């Protein structure tokens, strides 16, 4: 049975690995001319995602490539900085956590699959017909039994299958730029926070440079075109005007950076993400909000479950797709709820919210881990959305 996957980042190669292991014939098409290795940002693998890495024999490689960011410094106006141990924060959220650059994770997954899976770079799906014929931008046409969109938040496969689906803006924006490591960061993320704005810089042991990260909230959506990078840099300058410390330097560096990413933080709220022979996985299907919803772990679990259900149902998509959606729907809903809370937590809007955040982080720093975990659990399921996920064992279906 032939499966086409669109997108070679995280969910695409991971799905390809499991489908190949279950005996499917897999092709991955990626729009970029080669594996992306230019920018990217840190992503989080929580407990269930790491369990899947264990089952793929990749946990050690993933761990060896972790960013190594061990502390987070919050700088506030006229107050002493707050320093937080990252491991304590993440331990409250999940029993297991690895932060890794997305491009490093993609590379590990690609290297692990490239001998068994066909990868086609520099192309994209142009049309999917009802009988399984797929036409590509390059002009070629091929026949596949199933098509899976793993092509991210602004998925092309989703647009071709469902038309224009609304991405719900959740009140904030984010920008990431590749910048020189002017602070000589050594396992530290350095941030400056004001009501409604957070600017920071972090690096990874695997990177020669650093990433400037900007998060800010607005009352109304901003007016810009997603291709107009000059306007996006201008909006960034406006949003962070008047902030002191190293923020002007970071904004200048981001304004000059060759690799610059700017987007609204939005959430997909589709109740189903399969139609006919086509389904979606990862951010393309259920992105809860980049940087605030733990979406990488969700993408990993989603891809694993989709492959498992296809194998368990002998490739019958009419049974496998609903089973896949049912299996992860609760996790998707918890992630959406966490993102809505997370966006307000990560970008506190008022002075008292900033104070509440820094006070909480100070407490996390000093309280015993067991107490932090208990408090996180009390903060409803949305504080620990990952650890309740049972990673089903599909190993015997392959
Ligand atoms: C700035 C930023 C910060 C983030 N921070 C975090 C974080 O702190 N923690 C966390 O867990 N997650 C974070 N995320 C989210 C995380 O990156 C995603 O959840 C994760 O990468 C999802 O993987 P995916 O494979 O589903 O999609 P993506 O990683 O988005 O990959 C989609 C792939 O599809 C390809 N593609 C796109 N269009 C086409 C097309 N037409 N044809 C073929 N291929 C196509 C793209 O080139 C890409 O390779 C962040 C995201 C962003 C943007």
């Amino acid at each position: 049975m032939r499966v086409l996957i669109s997108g070679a980042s995280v969910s695409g190669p991971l799905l390809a690995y499991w489908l190949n292991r279950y005996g499917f014939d897999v092709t991955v098409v990626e729009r970029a001319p080669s594996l992306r290795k230019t920018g990217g940002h840190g992503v989080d693998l929580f407990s269930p995602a790491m369990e899947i890495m264990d089952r793929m024999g990749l946990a050690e490689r993933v761990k060896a490539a972790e960013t190594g960011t061990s502390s987070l410094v919050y700088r506030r106006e006229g107050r002493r900085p707050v320093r937080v141990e990252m491991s304590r924060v993440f331990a409250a959220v999940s029993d297991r956590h690895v932060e890794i650059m997305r491009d490093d994770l993609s590379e590990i997954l690609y290297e692990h699959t490239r001998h068994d899976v066909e990868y086609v770079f520099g192309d994209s799906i142009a049309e999917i017909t009802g009988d399984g014929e797929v036409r590509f931008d390059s002009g070629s046409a091929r026949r596949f039994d199933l098509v899976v969109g793993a092509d991210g938040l602004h998925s092309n496969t989703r647009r071709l299958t469902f038309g224009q689906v609304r991405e719900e803006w959740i009140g904030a924006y984010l920008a990431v730029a590749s910048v020189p490591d002017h602070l000589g960061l050594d396992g530290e993320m350095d941030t400056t926070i004001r009501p409604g704005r957070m600017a920071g810089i972090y690096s990874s042991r695997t990177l020669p440079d650093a990433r400037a990260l900007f998060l800010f909230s607005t009352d109304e959506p901003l007016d810009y075109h997603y291709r107009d990078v000059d306007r996006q840099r201008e909006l960034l300058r406006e949003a962070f005007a008047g902030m002191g410390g190293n923020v002007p330097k970071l904004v200048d560096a981001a304004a000059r950076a060759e690799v610059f990413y700017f987007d609204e933080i939005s959430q997909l709220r589709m109740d189903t993400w399969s139609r006919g022979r086509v389904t979606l996985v990862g951010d393309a299907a259920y992105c809860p909000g980049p940087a605030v919803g733990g979406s990488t772990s969700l993408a990993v679990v989603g891809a694993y479950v989709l492959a498992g259900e296809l194998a368990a149902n002998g490739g019958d998509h009419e049974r496998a797709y609903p089973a896949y959606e049912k299996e992860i729907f609760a996790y998707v809903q918890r992630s959406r709820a966490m993102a809505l809370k997370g966006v307000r937590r990560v970008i506190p809007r008022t002075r008292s919210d900033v104070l509440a955040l820094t006070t909480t982080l100070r407490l996390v720093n000093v309280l015993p881990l067991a107490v932090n975990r208990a408090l996180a659990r009390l903060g409803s399921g949305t504080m620990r959305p990952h650890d309740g996920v049972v990673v089903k064992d599909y190993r015997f279906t392959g």
Side-chain angles (χ1 to χ4, degrees), residues 63-115:
K63 190 95 181 81
E66 70 183 338
T67 59
T69 304
S70 54
S71 60
L72 170 65
V73 176
Y74 272 109
R75 301 186 189 281
R76 300 164 298 163
E77 217 159 22
R79 286 171 174 263
R80 274 199 324 202
V82 177
R83 186 178 301 269
V84 194
E85 239 183 88
M86 295 290 264
S87 59
R88 297 181 68 84
V89 176
F90 285 118
V93 176
S94 176
D95 290 345
R96 217 168 151 195
H97 171 257
V98 169
E99 186 192 56
I100 180 170
M101 297 307 287
R102 184 205 57 205
D103 291 358
D104 291 333
L105 180 59
S106 294
E107 190 174 27
I108 290 171
L109 295 170
Y110 169 71
E111 286 300 328
H112 203 51
T113 47
R114 71 188 177 96
H115 297 297

Side-chain angles (χ1 to χ4, degrees), residues 9-11 30-31 41-42 44 124 151 156 174 261 283 295-296:
S9 175
V10 177
S11 55
E30 164 60 49
R31 184 181 54 183
H41 42 266
D44 302 289
S124 171
D151 38 12
N156 173 53
L174 88 168
Y261 172 94
D283 274 14
S295 46
T296 306

Side-chain angles (χ1 to χ4, degrees), residues 250-272:
L250 281 184
V251 173
D252 277 348
R256 284 193 307 271
E258 264 177 51
V259 182
F260 177 81
Y261 172 94
F262 184 99
D263 205 354
E264 57 180 41
I265 303 189
S266 51
Q267 180 170 89
L268 285 169
R269 301 203 184 130
M270 298 166 82
D271 289 334
T272 175

Side-chain angles (χ1 to χ4, degrees), residues 355-373:
L355 189 65
L357 173 73
T358 47
T359 309
T360 308
L361 290 172
R362 274 212 172 96
L363 278 174
V364 168
N365 240 359
V366 293
L367 288 174
L369 219 50
V371 178
N372 284 335
R373 284 197 180 124

Side-chain angles (χ1 to χ4, degrees), residues 10 12 35 60 81 227 330 350:
V10 177
L35 204 65
E60 274 182 29
R227 286 222 171 108
T350 61

